[in-house]
Amino acid sequence: MFRIESARIIAGVARIVRDVGIAEELAQDALVAALEQWPESGIPDNPGAWLMATARHRAIDLVRRRETYARKLAEMGRDLDGVSGEPEPVAADPDDIDDGLLRLIFTSCHPVLSTEARIALTLRLLGGLTTEEIARASLTSEPTVAQRIVRAKRTLGRAAVPFEVPYGPERAARLGSVLEVIYLVFNEGYAATAGDDWLRPALCEDALRLARVLAGLMPAEPEVHGLAALLELQASRTAARTAPDGAPVLLADQNRARWDRLLIRRGLAALLRASDTANRTAGGEAATLGQALGPYALQAAIAACHARAARYEDTDWAAITALYDRLAALTPSPVVELNRAVAVSMAEGPAAGLVLVDALAADPALKAYHLLPSVRGDLLVRMGRTDEARAEFVRAAELTRNERERAMLLDRAGR
């Protein structure tokens, strides 16, 4: 429950104390209080509300201890009124957005922080991810991630960064980091890097909601629509991605009748908006061919190819390969190249894909990335090299920290 609610609790408390580091500590204090009290008093009817109220009251106590209550009440009356149950006034500025999670993201993505620190801090605060999970998601060591988070909190505190969604040019300047963080949070929910569950739906839902809010907030930004399209299309597969026992189901084996057609329609509509806005920005060029689309819209276009295929065998792999070529040119990375190798293998044969995968084997960023041996195992199976494939699946199982994924990989090695 705490992992589901922690981001909202931190966001609510940060509005009172104006410090995300202290807000996280107070949220954790509320967790400790729950662990102490609930075994005696029983679980409340609304556990999330109990945790929020406990954290907020502790925040108010902290404010009262630091400064005189009368002075602080005048400065922060709006937040204190909210704690007492009275409705908060509607923001007078139509460009304002009264969403605690968005405030938390934009604060964590402030330009006083490095890009890496923004991602690590927001995944910690918004996603409730552990240091180990963030390290695996970003292909970085745990000590490095831990240092980034601690320094980021201190930097925000020293700079007295306001807890708000910025306006105008400042909002646009932070948008790239915000989109990246929302995408990473969704990915952690879509395929958890660690733990006993393959999916963490609450993270997907939060990320999807925030992407939709941003799309309404910034309708002229094609990449906002591109990210929304990507998440809608990816989320459409959720029901088909696990078996009744929770085991992962690969794309080729999914029952496409279980894909959510409403989310697919929403995703395709958002992709069209991304294409139209990119087309206008590019001065009328053919954005539909991917020439003017950004990285999120390109990934959404790839997801759309899968969504339009009634069967796995009907997938237009040539089109997907062309989109990956464009994506690799726009945002080169070893992970993009690995995905591109899969598409090439489907369009041109497993041998062509294996050449590309083997070229990535020496990349240090993929040294502990379990999907590299997993993909290589897939290609070797298709080429009939089963002994080598078995070894690759075993290695992939050793590298993953997700128990469901490990079981699936060992099962594939056994078969």
Side-chain angles (χ1 to χ4, degrees), residues 161-336:
V161 172
F163 186 68
E164 64 184 13
V165 178
Y167 301 98
E170 187 180 355
R171 179 183 293 172
R174 285 196 230 171
L175 182 61
S177 288
V178 170
L179 295 179
E180 184 174 13
V181 166
I182 292 175
Y183 181 48
L184 288 173
V185 170
F186 180 89
N187 280 346
E188 180 60 29
Y190 191 71
T193 56
D196 297 328
D197 297 318
W198 174 240
L199 298 176
R200 294 177 59 190
L203 288 183
C204 291
E205 291 166 6
D206 272 340
L208 188 53
R209 182 179 67 84
L210 290 168
R212 290 168 178 168
V213 170
L214 275 180
L217 180 67
M218 308 181 78
E221 292 288 341
E223 275 294 78
V224 172
H225 296 298
L227 178 65
L230 175 59
L231 301 196
E232 300 275 10
L233 291 167
Q234 295 284 72
S236 72
R237 308 176 199 163
T238 300
R241 294 189 70 244
T242 54
D245 63 354
V249 178
L250 298 178
L251 181 64
D253 302 322
Q254 289 174 18
N255 178 2
R256 300 194 174 204
R258 300 189 66 198
W259 286 7
D260 190 316
R261 308 312 299 181
L262 175 60
L263 290 180
I264 289 175
R265 288 196 296 273
R266 290 179 65 104
L268 294 177
L271 180 58
L272 181 60
R273 285 192 291 272
S275 179
D276 288 343
T277 52
N279 192 24
R280 288 193 295 271
T281 302
E285 297 295 331
T288 53
L289 298 178
Q291 298 306 306
L293 297 181
Y296 295 112
L298 284 170
Q299 291 177 78
I302 292 168
C305 289
H306 292 295
R308 293 188 181 107
R311 303 176 305 155
Y312 184 75
E313 295 77 12
D314 299 331
T315 306
D316 189 347
W317 289 107
I320 291 176
T321 300
L323 289 166
Y324 268 121
D325 289 343
R326 174 63 180 159
L327 183 62
L330 189 63
T331 56
S333 82
V335 173
V336 170

Side-chain angles (χ1 to χ4, degrees), residues 343-362:
V344 168
S345 77
M346 298 303 296
E348 303 177 15
L354 186 61
V355 171
L356 299 177
V357 170
D358 286 346
L360 296 170

